[in-house]
Amino acid sequence: MPTVACMSRRHALVVLPLVVLFAALVGCTGATRIPPPEPSTAVEPLFASDEEALEAATEAYEEYLAVLDGLLQAPLEVDGAFDSVASGQALQLAEESVQKFLDDVVRISGPRVVGSVELQQLIVDEEATEVILYVCEDLSGIVLLDSGGNSLTTPDRPNYSIFQIVVSFGHDGGRVVDRQFWSNETSC
């Protein structure tokens, strides 16, 4: 019988490593864990279409012009007047325009009219959505007046001007951030 004990011991020495290897392999083949997906870096669009973006930018620009033209009709201190409708360069230029009217004691007779608008570009990024558009402004109904109510408007003044406008939309709404003269047209 000593042979059987020897055989069992040898058999155990061979089988034991196989059992340990099998247990290790079974432990490694448990449920595979899939890491959670990384957050998406894609920015959700603010507007469903270019038309919607153009409409929102036009509305924001009209609000900007309402504040600007209101102050140019009755020039007053501008502290904070543009905060909800402008920022950046557009804010600075609007405040300077009103200040110049205050200094020169001039005003305008009425607001300008926004004519045609055209989308130039829509830029979407993580910080904000920018809508760049061309706006035709009808100036024909505006007269520049001195402090006595006399017209300072020259007969050769163009009735229409086209501006390139940049409106930036963030978490707190849309603001005009840039307004650049583009051209004078006989009509738009």
Side-chain angles (χ1 to χ4, degrees):
M1 287 278 177
T3 327
V4 173
C6 244
M7 194 65 103
S8 276
R9 188 182 278 154
R10 272 192 235 162
H11 184 62
L13 289 175
V14 171
V15 172
L16 183 60
L18 289 175
V19 170
V20 170
L21 180 63
F22 179 75
L25 289 175
V26 169
C28 288
T29 60
T32 303
R33 293 187 183 227
I34 300 173
E38 292 189 23
S40 173
T41 58
V43 177
E44 289 293 320
L46 185 60
F47 301 107
S49 66
D50 287 355
E51 292 79 19
E52 186 179 304
L54 181 61
E55 183 179 323
T58 302
E59 184 177 308
Y61 185 61
E62 287 173 336
E63 290 173 8
Y64 166 86
L65 285 180
V67 173
L68 177 61
D69 288 349
L71 289 171
L72 295 178
Q73 289 174 56
L76 303 168
E77 292 300 318
V78 295
D79 292 337
F82 292 100
D83 289 350
S84 66
V85 295
S87 64
Q89 184 181 19
L91 173 64
Q92 180 183 351
L93 291 174
E95 289 175 341
E96 288 172 1
S97 291
V98 174
Q99 190 59 51
K100 180 160 177 42
F101 271 55
L102 279 168
D103 295 345
D104 294 346
V105 193
V106 294
R107 60 186 173 84
I108 61 174
S109 63
R112 70 197 87 207
V113 177
V114 172
S116 62
V117 294
E118 180 182 330
L119 180 66
Q120 179 199 20
Q121 190 174 10
L122 179 62
I123 303 168
V124 178
D125 68 24
E126 293 177 16
E127 299 295 318
T129 296
E130 285 191 347
V131 181
I132 303 171
L133 62 153
Y134 295 115
V135 176
C136 176
E137 296 179 10
D138 181 352
L139 310 173
S140 61
I142 294 179
V143 177
L144 184 62
L145 304 169
D146 66 14
S147 60
N150 301 308
S151 175
L152 300 172
T153 304
T154 60
D156 61 341
R157 179 203 63 193
N159 287 326
Y160 298 93
S161 290
I162 298 176
F163 289 87
Q164 178 179 292
I165 309 302
V166 180
V167 180
S168 181
F169 291 89
H171 63 278
D172 57 348
R175 285 185 172 77
V176 175
V177 295
D178 195 19
R179 179 177 185 250
Q180 298 291 323
F181 174 76
W182 194 255
S183 74
N184 285 325
E185 296 286 331
T186 55
S187 65
C188 300

